Amino acid sequence: AARRLRELLDEGGCVSMPGVHDALSAKLIARSGRFECAFMSGYGVAASRLGDPDVGLATLGDMVDAGKSVCRAAGDMPVVGDGDTGFGGVANVRRTVFEYHAAGFAAVSIEDQVFPKRCAYGKGMRVVPRRDAVARLAAALSARDEIRAKGGDILVIGRTDSRMATNPEIEDNFKEAILRCFEFKQLGADAVWMEGPRSGAEMEAFNVAMEGTRTILAQVERPGVEMLSPGRCAELGYDVALYGLTLLSASAAAVERAARVMGRGDHP
């Protein structure tokens, strides 16, 4: 799965990566024949599996168990797993990479929020100091290299949420995000991901700074925010356009509409 994902990313252009939240959504996306990879989000697992918000309640066990079903249902389609913060210290980060590889994921993303984490768009979101973020990713990359040395393979994606963080000690959030992703790049991350760029100019500047490394743009539907097409993302320099919550939101909306009709005594 990791090899297929790497080959896909090396083809050029910008890959459209929908987020899936359970085995059924993964199977439907794979069966559509319109997508070559998918992403299993922590937000999606917390919502679909626990019925809870994304505030760090989904454990490593929850994510791995959901991931096994998702990867099995996806068949030959590579799936990227949301590794959140690695679920603890550096030893937990290493374990997360090993467990995600065993579950069948092609890649795992590791972010720099404080633990327990929350949705990046939640109020008061904070990140760990840069040195801790670098140590966290270094642990993930060490686990990746061990897996490769034993004949396996998995990609590691370095993600920073510092652009949107409320840490008082961060004077320039965009600069901090660039510095963190640059260090992730220098460490050998297979791809980097800056959450929450504020403008096209920031997106372009980010990709210039990350030249030579695969980059991901994650987008979440919100009032007043334009969703960029994969084509536009490619123009801005991205390799992956991630739509992490689109399918979950569409599913929830469909259930609510059908329930309203059934609640009136009719059939949808």
Side-chain angles (χ1 to χ4, degrees):
R3 186 187 73 251
R4 288 195 298 273
L5 180 60
R6 189 180 295 106
E7 291 172 350
L8 174 62
L9 296 178
D10 286 343
E11 289 177 0
C14 185
V15 177
S16 179
M17 183 184 290
V20 297
H21 51 278
D22 60 10
L24 179 59
S25 58
K27 177 162 284 191
L28 292 172
I29 285 299
R31 194 172 69 180
S32 75
R34 297 179 180 274
F35 301 95
E36 297 180 274
C37 59
F39 178 82
M40 190 190 83
S41 77
Y43 186 121
V45 172
S48 64
R49 193 177 183 86
L50 306 178
D52 284 324
D54 186 21
V55 289
L57 297 176
T59 65
L60 173 60
D62 291 326
M63 294 295 291
V64 170
D65 194 43
K68 289 177 181 177
S69 299
V70 164
C71 292
R72 182 172 59 249
D76 292 333
M77 181 180 69
V79 181
V80 178
D82 185 350
D84 289 336
T85 62
F87 304 95
V90 292
N92 302 82
V93 173
R94 285 175 51 79
R95 182 187 174 203
T96 296
V97 176
F98 288 127
E99 293 284 352
Y100 274 48
H101 171 255
F105 285 109
V108 56
S109 61
I110 300 294
E111 65 193 55
D112 58 356
Q113 281 195 35
V114 298
F115 177 79
K117 62 149 290 176
R118 66 177 67 188
C119 173
Y121 297 89
K123 293 181 179 179
M125 185 273 293
R126 298 178 64 149
V127 293
V128 298
R130 194 190 313 161
R131 64 179 180 277
D132 295 338
V134 170
R136 188 180 284 176
L137 190 69
L141 294 171
S142 173
R144 176 201 67 183
D145 293 344
E146 284 189 37
I147 290 169
R148 290 178 178 174
K150 296 176 182 178
D153 198 5
I154 190 170
L155 280 68
V156 170
I157 299 164
R159 165 180 163 175
T160 182
D161 286 10
S162 54
R163 180 66 186 92
M164 305 171 67
T166 59
N167 298 51
E169 70 275 12
I170 298 180
E171 297 180 0
D172 186 328
N173 287 66
F174 178 62
K175 180 180 179 181
E176 182 64 24
I178 292 288
L179 290 172
R180 291 185 183 217
C181 283
F182 187 79
E183 293 210 33
F184 297 164
K185 170 185 173 180
Q186 294 294 92
L187 281 173
D190 295 291
V192 291
W193 167 356
M194 177 183 69
E195 184 71 32
R198 300 289 176 86
S199 65
E202 285 194 358
M203 296 175 192
E204 288 183 307
F206 169 71
N207 279 289
V208 169
M210 299 302 121
E211 185 178 3
T213 299
R214 304 177 186 97
T215 58
I216 298 172
L217 177 64
Q219 299 182 76
V220 176
E221 291 83 358
R222 306 189 309 285
V225 175
E226 177 189 7
M227 298 293 289
L228 304 181
S229 68
R232 178 56 179 149
C233 292
E235 292 174 357
L236 293 167
Y238 287 99
D239 299 285
V240 178
L242 169 59
Y243 304 94
L245 300 180
T246 305
L247 297 181
L248 176 66
S249 298
S251 299
V255 169
E256 287 185 333
R257 286 196 299 269
R260 282 197 297 270
V261 175
M262 294 174 73
R264 296 196 301 263
D266 298 323
H267 191 277

